[in-house]
Structure formats: structure tokens, C-alpha cells
Amino acid sequence: MAGTTGFVESLFGLAGRRALVTGSSQGIGHALARGLAKSGAAVVLNGRDPKRLEEARAALQAELPEAEIRALPFDVTRHDEVRAAIDDFEASVGPIDILVNNAGMQHRTALEDFPADRFEALLQTNIASVFHVGQAVARHMIRRGRGKIVNICSVQTALARPGIAPYTATKGAVGNLTKGMATDWARHGLQCNAIAPGYFDTPLNAALVADPDFSAWLEKRTPAGRWGLVDELVGACVFLSSDASSFVNGHTLYVDGAISVSL
């Protein structure tokens, strides 16, 4: 058994690596940060609100007292701010070995009435942030000849539903940007992949979770028959962050209870 445990650890263990997770004060980002820390990684939480971010860091540190948990506040939509924060962290603390681009937002309105300012906010938060943070971190990874980037897409990367057309467009773009990252950076030793969650019980989906009609529809529409739980995304993230995925590149892994493959 000891030999088997060592083999699994060599493939999936993250000890000695540092992971930055954007948008990790709550929801999916916080769950992924917790999972990476439990797998041995030092974790860096990110968000725009320093106070809220520190509260999230302190709570996670209390839960996992042996883990290294840091907070790095910056606005993922501001290119220069992102670049400065990443460069300073790399110089003063150490390398970022794993990047999880999780920051995102949602706005639900019929497309014909969709406010232009909300559309622009979606573009900046859901797409531009992946470019800004991905580029800033990758420049350091490329010099080291190794690195893992995991972008958080959505089931809407492949599917659409009424009222969220701009969100669907942004998540489709993240899927294609992931392919582009892999195409440009694989030769430098980076693996760039994505996770596409289905419908999960998160603060972003709070209105839908609270809607009994929508939940009933979702349970019928999803072959697994239920909402996903955020901890069910951790395994996919650990896999794509570890040596187990050393030849997986440009791939989008759907974690959706089979909703994207069924009629």
C-alpha cells in the first residue's frame, strides 16, 4: 500500500508548488483554493476587496493551520495593476506554479434589453481578466520552463439558454483563449486547460437555486438529477494542476452531471 500511495502522490501531489486562484473570496474559487491547499499546495487568494479577501484568507488558514495561505488583492480587469502585483509577488515571495483563472460575473437580461455597460463589464471580468492575469503569470512560467494554467469556463462554453447571451459569449471566448494559450505556450513547458462547470450551488447562482421552478427543470434536464456541489470541482482542478496532466493541453473538462451531452 505504501508504494501505491507514493505513486499517487507523485502524480497528483502538489507539495512544493504555489497556486494563485483569482476570485477566491467565495464560491467556486474559494472551494478550489481549499482543495489545492489540501493537496499540498501553498495557496494565494485573490479578489478586489482587501477586507473581504483577508477574511476569506483568515477563515481558510484557521481551517487548514498547516497550510501556507496568502492574500494578494488586485483588480483582474486592470492590466497594469495585474502586471505590477504579479511581478512584485514573484520577486518578493516566490514563483507562482499554478494559476486558476476563476474570477467572473453574471448578469441576466433578455438580449434585446441587455444594458451596454453590463455587456462591457462581462467582457472585462470574464474574458479580459483571463488574458491579463494569464499573460502576467505566464511570462514568469515561460522563463522557468514549466507551469499550469486552469481557466474556469462554464457549461455555457458549449450551450446557451435564454437571458444570458453575453455571458455565453464570454465563456465561449474563454474556451478558445485556453486553446490559444496551449498553442502558444506548450512549447515552453506550460499546460493550459479549462474546467467547464455545469450548474453548481454558488452565490453566483443564488437566484436560480432559490427558484423552485428552475431547480425542478434543472433536475429533470441534468442526467445526474441535481445541482453540483462546489467540492465536486476540486478533483478536476487538482488533476489539471498536477503532473498527472503533463500531456493534457488546450482541453476543456466538463464537470456538469452530463447535461452537455444529453438531449
Side-chain angles (χ1 to χ4, degrees):
M1 287 295 292
T4 302
T5 301
F7 175 70
V8 172
E9 279 295 313
S10 70
L11 278 180
F12 295 97
L14 300 177
R17 304 182 195 186
R18 183 177 291 109
L20 168 64
V21 185
T22 67
S24 47
S25 295
Q26 64 175 358
I28 287 174
H30 197 70
L32 295 181
R34 180 190 297 110
L36 293 171
K38 286 184 175 181
S39 297
V43 170
V44 184
L45 305 183
N46 161 261
R48 286 184 295 188
D49 184 335
K51 182 176 182 294
R52 186 177 179 188
L53 186 65
E54 175 53 28
E55 290 171 352
R57 188 210 64 77
L60 189 55
Q61 189 70 78
E63 180 183 347
L64 303 172
E66 301 302 316
E68 179 185 324
I69 313 292
R70 295 177 181 267
L72 184 61
F74 60 82
D75 186 339
V76 295
T77 69
R78 297 181 179 275
H79 185 84
D80 291 343
E81 183 178 334
V82 169
R83 180 78 179 272
I86 296 299
D87 288 353
D88 179 70
F89 186 91
E90 287 261 349
S92 61
V93 179
I96 296 168
D97 306 291
I98 301 159
L99 167 63
V100 181
N101 274 312
N102 168 77
M105 65 173 293
Q106 175 64 288
H107 185 84
R108 297 180 176 90
T109 306
L111 185 57
E112 65 272 20
D113 298 318
F114 209 93
D117 63 335
R118 292 293 83 199
F119 180 72
E120 290 297 331
L122 280 166
L123 293 178
Q124 291 301 313
T125 305
N126 294 359
I127 302 175
S129 70
V130 177
F131 166 76
H132 298 324
V133 187
Q135 184 190 70
V137 173
R139 283 172 166 158
H140 296 278
M141 290 178 168
I142 288 168
R143 289 204 306 269
R144 293 188 287 267
R146 58 182 173 80
K148 299 279 190 174
I149 296 178
V150 181
N151 299 325
I152 304 304
C153 291
S154 166
V155 69
Q156 265 76 46
T157 299
L159 303 174
R161 58 178 297 271
I164 57 168
Y167 179 84
T168 301
T170 65
K171 289 302 182 177
V174 173
N176 276 329
L177 183 53
T178 301
K179 295 176 185 178
M181 287 178 168
T183 302
D184 276 14
W185 296 338
R187 67 181 179 273
H188 297 296
L190 278 62
Q191 288 88 52
C192 307
N193 296 287
I195 298 171
Y199 284 89
F200 280 74
D201 186 350
T202 68
L204 200 65
N205 286 328
L208 299 181
V209 174
D211 183 340
D213 291 336
F214 185 88
S215 286
W217 171 84
L218 179 67
E219 290 167 5
K220 291 179 181 178
R221 176 65 181 81
T222 305
R226 61 177 176 83
W227 287 88
L229 304 176
V230 289
D231 286 344
E232 292 177 298
L233 293 165
V234 169
C237 190
V238 170
F239 166 62
L240 293 176
S241 300
S242 71
D243 289 343
S245 58
S246 60
F247 203 57
V248 179
N249 232 330
H251 177 69
T252 298
L253 175 56
Y254 284 80
V255 184
D256 64 359
I259 193 172
S260 62
V261 297
S262 64
L263 291 173

